[in-house]
Amino acid sequence: MAVKDSELRNPYRERESLRHFLRSRRARLTPADVGLVHGGRRNTPGLRREEVAVLAGVSASWYTWLEQGRDIKVSETVLDSISDALRLNDIERAHLYRLTGTNPPPLPAKATSGEVSRLQRTVEALPAPAYVVDRYWNSLAANEKARSLLGVTETGYNHLVGFFTDPRVMRRYLRWDELARQLVGQFRVQATRYAGDHGFAALTVRLCSASPRFAELWARHETRDCAMTKVDLRGPADEVLSYEQMILGFADRTDLLLMLYVPPVIDGGKAVADSRLS
């Protein structure tokens, strides 16, 4: 049976979800976890509502109303205070924002060392060329095939700057100009997605100054958002390397992108990546 759109947006269900979420986060903490003195025997596990209110700097009655799912105004500052009091991670904090009908805070622009380490292990386990970039297209992790075939050199390498300014990269891509138009369109979509992030403005100025072609394409205001693209590369032995470039996201860090180059499948189900240049 089909689910009605009105049922999916049922405010009562959203308030129920908020109530259960806050209770569950409260129940997993002890006073010692948050630096409070244990107040003797407790009938239920976890922190009391009054204790969360003290930690968050709000009144006990207001926090009770929030946990009960009442229709009250909630500011981003208060949501952050409650998130800190309940020791929420970034995913849980964003979830709390959404449950209260508020847009989640932007993700930090810089990946942590732990995230980079996990990303490196991920790409090394992949059989095809693969690398990960941040929101500004700086390289965070790459496997050996990506380094040797695509020229992904070191952590921090910016793929847009390299694509538009490095003659070796420009020679590597056989349909360079077509890919250039697509990349600029994708970059514009990415920059709009993170409106207010000054890092995009700085990178745009840098690219326009370094590459007349980028400046020309940027002035067209075209947008692209392709998840899969055919890419033909010039290999080390002057062979043509054909791949399908897939752009994949991560559930917990949507601003990071995995660039995976998969050989196309031909008749018989065999993946073939190269052929000789004539």
Side-chain angles (χ1 to χ4, degrees), residues 14 18 72 74 79 94-104:
E14 292 175 0
L18 175 61
I72 57 177
V74 184
L79 287 177
H95 186 61
L96 174 60
Y97 266 69
R98 294 189 180 97
L99 287 176
T100 59
T102 309
N103 289 327

Side-chain angles (χ1 to χ4, degrees), residues 45-237:
L47 297 176
R48 298 187 175 114
R49 288 174 175 169
E50 295 79 6
E51 292 169 331
V52 176
V54 169
L55 292 169
V58 299
S59 69
S61 58
W62 187 94
Y63 178 78
T64 299
W65 295 338
L66 176 68
E67 194 170 289
Q68 289 175 344
R70 295 196 188 185
D71 187 14
I72 57 177
K73 292 183 179 182
V74 184
S75 68
E76 295 180 3
T77 301
V78 171
L79 287 177
D80 283 339
S81 297
I82 293 172
S83 297
D84 292 339
L86 293 173
R87 302 297 193 266
L88 303 185
N89 60 32
D90 289 339
I91 297 175
E92 292 170 329
R93 185 185 297 256
H95 186 61
L96 174 60
Y97 266 69
R98 294 189 180 97
L99 287 176
T100 59
T102 309
N103 289 327
L107 292 167
K110 189 174 182 179
T112 66
S113 58
E115 288 174 326
V116 172
S117 179
R118 290 193 296 271
L119 293 171
Q120 186 60 46
R121 292 197 301 270
T122 298
V123 295
E124 286 176 351
L126 297 174
Y131 59 91
V132 178
V133 297
D134 64 14
R135 67 181 66 172
Y136 310 119
W137 296 63
N138 294 316
S139 177
L140 296 179
N143 60 17
E144 175 56 34
K145 287 189 176 180
R147 289 191 291 268
S148 61
L149 297 178
L150 304 174
V152 182
T153 53
E154 72 275 342
T155 300
Y157 171 81
N158 188 276
H159 292 270
L160 280 172
V161 174
F163 186 88
F164 282 94
T165 64
D166 190 336
R168 295 170 299 177
V169 175
M170 299 172 74
R171 181 181 182 277
R172 181 178 294 119
Y173 290 91
L174 300 183
R175 295 179 292 114
W176 183 89
D177 200 65
E178 179 181 336
L179 287 174
R181 294 196 299 272
Q182 180 173 309
L183 284 176
V184 174
Q186 289 176 312
F187 180 68
R188 182 174 288 281
V189 170
Q190 189 81 341
T192 303
R193 185 173 294 144
Y194 296 98
D197 188 328
H198 299 298
F200 284 98
L203 181 55
T204 301
V205 170
R206 178 184 176 188
L207 286 163
C208 286
S209 300
S211 170
R213 183 55 175 157
F214 179 91
E216 178 187 349
L217 293 172
W218 183 255
R220 295 182 182 181
H221 292 268
E222 294 179 355
T223 57
R224 304 281 185 93
D225 204 2
C226 303
M228 183 177 293
T229 306
K230 182 180 178 181
V231 176
D232 293 327
L233 303 170
R234 190 186 305 271

Side-chain angles (χ1 to χ4, degrees), residues 240-257:
V240 175
L241 305 173
S242 296
Y243 291 97
E244 293 286 350
Q245 183 202 47
M246 301 177 65
I247 303 178
L248 306 174
F250 296 87
D252 56 340
R253 283 299 301 265
T254 55
D255 58 330
L256 306 184
L257 299 174

